[in-house]
Amino acid sequence: MHAEILFENGWVYTGNDAGPVRANVAVAGGRIVAVGSPDDVESTTTPDTRRVDLQGQLVVPGFQDAHIHPIFAGVEMLQCDLTEASTAEDAVALVGRYAAENPDQPWILGAGWSMDLFPGGTPTRGLLDAVVQDRPVYLQNRDHHGAWANTAAFAAAAISRDTPDPAGGRFEREPDGTPAGTVHEGAMDLFNDAKPALPYNLAYQGLLASQELLLSQGITAWQDAWVPIPEGGHADNLKVYMDAANAGDLKVRVTACQWWDRTAGMSQLEAILERRNTVRESFDPLVLNANTVKVMVDGVAENFTAAMHHVYLDHHGHHTDNRGIEFFEPAELKEFVTAIDASGMQLHFHALGDRAVTDALDALQTARDSNGVNDHRHHLAHLQVVRSEDAARFAELGAAANVQALWACHEDQLDTLTLPFLEPGAEARHYPFGELAAAGARLVAGSDWPVSTADPIAAIHVAVNRTAPGEDLPPLGPESQKLSLQQILNAYTQGTAWINHLDAETGTLEPGKLADLAVLDVNLFELSPEELHRAVVTQTWIGGECVYDRATARQSQPSPVMQ
């Protein structure tokens, strides 16, 4: 087959070699037809072949994000976005400015505030009351396991000092029991009936806004880790994906991870399977599939809801009686995990604490004992703390370790709100990616955006260094927990392609596979580890189509308005 496009004069990391090689890549019909030396590949060209001069840049397989929330992230970008706030004062000012600019919004909704900006990670309602008194304000934090509300929001939801903490959640309270302003986990659900529903059009625009950003970061496929069955008039995010695919607006390859509602029981499986089958009957799985179920096993460590084997410590270093929250009793978890596995669906676990990891692996063992070995490719995400005896079980059970590598470094939230409240030596057990890899676990990679940036380059930098770009802090944990550049790059490409059942068609650059690739301005393998964050995506291609070009994008940006 003659090449329609030829990438030449650059480096190519195929994913099958020890590192990049000087090679050309020929593409026709959206697929790679040849990878090799210029002389070998030149025979595929014709005078009509479009030649892309890489000028020494690096071509890699397109990045694939194994755990991300694009629709919700896009919606939050279009609402009150607090991700850029660097102080508590900044956050409050942003809320006040947004409220003034949006006087017709009945609620001020948004997200992105960082817990480390506030004492104890728990901002008060009074801070919001000072800038917005005329309507409710409800803002999720950056990890989306807690929210910050003003007095009007508590009143609208009929939450008072007499409202008990719900199962699986709690309120921060003032001395008389009045909610102080921060709510955790299941307590957030008590606002659901009062808050406005997410409109369909806003969800659709959120998807498009997210896709534009993610394409600029070289991301060609993702697994959306939270696609619930809609309730209360909220937009159906699965329908958003389906409509975007039908309209030709969906450029990336999407695995929609259906949410397992912890209050709905086994009866919800029927509806999940129906939605899976609707997508299966209507779409090529290379475009969209919904054959995955997301199970939230526990919470997060910074609000003491991650399920741990060891008890949390108090502010004086003394043992408490709190081991976090398991959202399911182990027996219940085993029962529905076995049923989901038997239905042919993949399981995607949020398992952050070591007890949650044990519970999820135990459930997978029960499913295997009952249903036998299969190729569903289950995976556990986050893995902040993992016991050594559980690390080896990943390979034994064929479960992948879904790593959010950007978090594996010292930063304020970890150092002030987490590590001081865990058992001595917990730092060495934090994000044990190197240990998991050494134990034979298959690594896949994701961002959990909008919890943190979706940029794969930033996550790659942290995985290799265990320090954040530009930070003068010691690496997190021992040297053995670092990953090599090749390990984390493979996790972000062929690893996630495998978890998304796209590995036969994507994830490596070789003849016959789809031409999904990213072009980086520098050869990553020639940079020192400390310089990895310097790399920039200059082009993104999906199925042989250039869906992002940095040069064109920069040219199309509006000129600054002169005052």
Side-chain angles (χ1 to χ4, degrees):
M1 182 179 291
H2 294 304
E4 298 167 358
I5 306 166
L6 182 72
F7 295 89
E8 60 182 349
N9 190 30
W11 294 95
V12 177
Y13 178 68
T14 66
N16 294 321
D17 301 309
V21 295
R22 275 284 185 176
N24 289 355
V25 180
V27 174
R31 294 183 178 272
I32 297 169
V33 296
V35 180
S37 69
D39 289 342
D40 291 339
V41 176
E42 189 66 27
S43 62
T44 68
T45 65
T46 73
D48 294 327
T49 298
R50 174 187 174 187
R51 292 177 177 266
V52 179
D53 186 353
L54 295 170
Q55 299 181 332
Q57 297 183 105
L58 173 66
V59 177
V60 300
F63 296 117
Q64 302 192 29
D65 195 308
H67 186 109
I68 191 169
H69 306 283
I71 293 179
F72 292 114
V75 167
E76 290 170 6
M77 287 194 295
L78 301 173
Q79 293 181 328
C80 185
D81 184 0
L82 302 181
T83 54
E84 297 303 316
S86 59
T87 66
E89 293 75 17
D90 285 346
V92 172
L94 284 169
V95 175
R97 187 178 313 133
Y98 180 88
E101 293 172 352
N102 294 272
D104 297 329
Q105 293 288 342
W107 280 60
I108 303 302
L109 300 174
W113 56 274
S114 182
M115 293 177 67
D116 57 82
L117 303 183
F118 303 94
T122 57
T124 64
R125 60 191 172 92
L127 292 172
L128 292 176
D129 291 346
V131 291
V132 184
Q133 295 182 351
D134 62 330
R135 53 202 150 137
V137 180
Y138 180 88
L139 306 160
Q140 294 191 65
N141 67 17
R142 74 176 191 182
D143 65 22
H144 296 73
H145 290 266
W148 177 23
N150 70 347
T151 299
F154 285 106
I159 298 170
S160 70
R161 66 182 182 183
D162 298 322
T163 304
D165 286 351
R170 75 171 190 274
F171 299 103
E172 297 292 331
R173 297 182 186 269
E174 296 170 359
D176 68 352
T178 300
T182 302
V183 301
H184 303 287
E185 300 294 350
M188 296 190 292
D189 295 339
L190 300 188
F191 292 86
N192 289 348
D193 291 339
K195 287 187 304 173
L198 173 62
Y200 171 88
N201 287 340
L202 180 58
Y204 197 99
Q205 292 305 312
L207 170 61
L208 299 186
S210 288
Q211 180 175 246
E212 182 178 0
L213 174 64
L214 297 172
L215 290 175
S216 75
Q217 295 171 333
I219 294 170
T220 58
W222 66 59
Q223 184 164 139
D224 187 324
W226 187 13
V227 182
I229 296 174
E231 296 180 342
H234 285 282
D236 183 348
N237 287 356
L238 186 58
K239 185 178 187 300
V240 169
Y241 277 122
M242 294 170 69
D243 289 350
N246 282 327
D249 290 336
L250 187 65
K251 304 298 183 184
V252 297
R253 310 186 192 282
V254 173
T255 297
C257 200
Q258 299 196 62
W259 180 256
W260 187 263
D261 184 338
R262 58 179 176 261
T263 66
M266 192 73 79
S267 62
Q268 65 190 294
L269 182 55
E270 181 178 355
I272 287 173
L273 292 174
E274 288 178 359
R275 287 160 67 82
R276 185 269 310 267
N277 293 339
T278 296
V279 173
R280 179 177 286 175
E281 292 162 3
S282 304
F283 295 94
D284 185 330
L286 292 173
V287 175
L288 177 65
N289 84 80
N291 193 42
T292 301
V293 174
K294 168 71 175 297
V295 177
M296 180 80 73
V297 182
D298 67 340
V300 293
E302 55 266 26
N303 68 8
F304 315 135
T305 60
M308 300 289 188
H309 284 289
H310 193 281
V311 297
Y312 288 95
L313 308 179
D314 64 17
H315 287 78
H316 303 288
H318 301 144
H319 288 174
T320 69
D321 59 0
N322 178 27
R323 287 184 167 83
I325 294 175
E326 290 172 301
F327 291 127
F328 306 97
E329 290 296 327
E332 180 190 4
L333 183 66
K334 290 174 182 178
E335 180 185 14
F336 71 73
V337 163
T338 299
I340 293 169
D341 178 73
S343 74
M345 297 193 74
Q346 178 187 72
L347 282 139
H348 180 158
F349 297 94
H350 167 116
L352 197 141
D354 56 4
R355 187 159 56 103
V357 173
T358 301
D359 286 351
L361 293 173
D362 286 349
L364 290 179
Q365 182 66 66
T366 299
R368 173 171 284 203
D369 292 343
S370 178
N371 302 330
V373 177
N374 55 47
D375 191 36
H376 300 337
R377 307 182 184 184
H378 307 309
H379 50 133
L380 282 67
H382 307 324
L383 306 173
Q384 184 166 351
V385 185
V386 181
R387 296 189 305 176
S388 291
E389 54 263 48
D390 281 331
R393 299 177 66 197
F394 282 78
E396 294 169 3
L397 292 169
N402 187 332
V403 303
Q404 284 60 66
L406 190 76
W407 305 347
C409 63
H410 284 288
E411 47 90 26
D412 286 345
Q413 188 160 299
L414 178 68
D415 291 343
T416 63
L417 299 179
T418 302
L419 288 178
F421 304 99
L422 301 179
E423 76 275 19
E427 179 183 338
R429 307 292 320 141
H430 255 63
Y431 303 113
F433 304 152
E435 181 179 355
L436 286 162
R442 186 187 294 267
L443 300 184
V444 307
S447 64
D448 206 12
W449 184 61
V451 173
S452 50
T453 178
D455 183 10
I457 299 298
I460 287 170
H461 178 101
V462 176
V464 172
N465 293 283
R466 305 282 289 195
T467 57
E471 290 286 349
D472 186 22
L473 293 170
L476 179 69
E479 191 83 10
S480 59
Q481 301 296 13
K482 293 181 178 180
L483 296 176
S484 71
L485 173 56
Q486 185 171 27
Q487 283 177 312
I488 186 60
L489 183 55
N490 285 351
Y492 251 116
T493 53
Q494 59 191 266
T496 303
W498 182 86
I499 213 66
N500 285 340
H501 290 268
L502 296 174
D503 51 313
E505 302 278 5
T506 70
T508 57
L509 303 180
E510 54 189 295
K513 287 198 171 182
L514 289 160
D516 292 4
L517 53 89
V519 180
L520 309 183
D521 65 338
V522 293
N523 183 346
L524 286 175
F525 289 79
E526 291 184 341
L527 296 177
S528 68
E530 296 77 20
E531 294 180 311
L532 288 172
H533 67 279
R534 285 183 37 218
V536 174
V537 172
T538 59
Q539 289 186 338
T540 305
W541 294 71
I542 299 179
E545 176 189 359
C546 185
V547 292
Y548 169 76
D549 186 293
R550 185 167 183 255
T552 303
R554 294 173 73 180
Q555 291 170 8
S556 65
Q557 289 177 350
S559 300
V561 176
M562 302 302 293
Q563 299 291 334

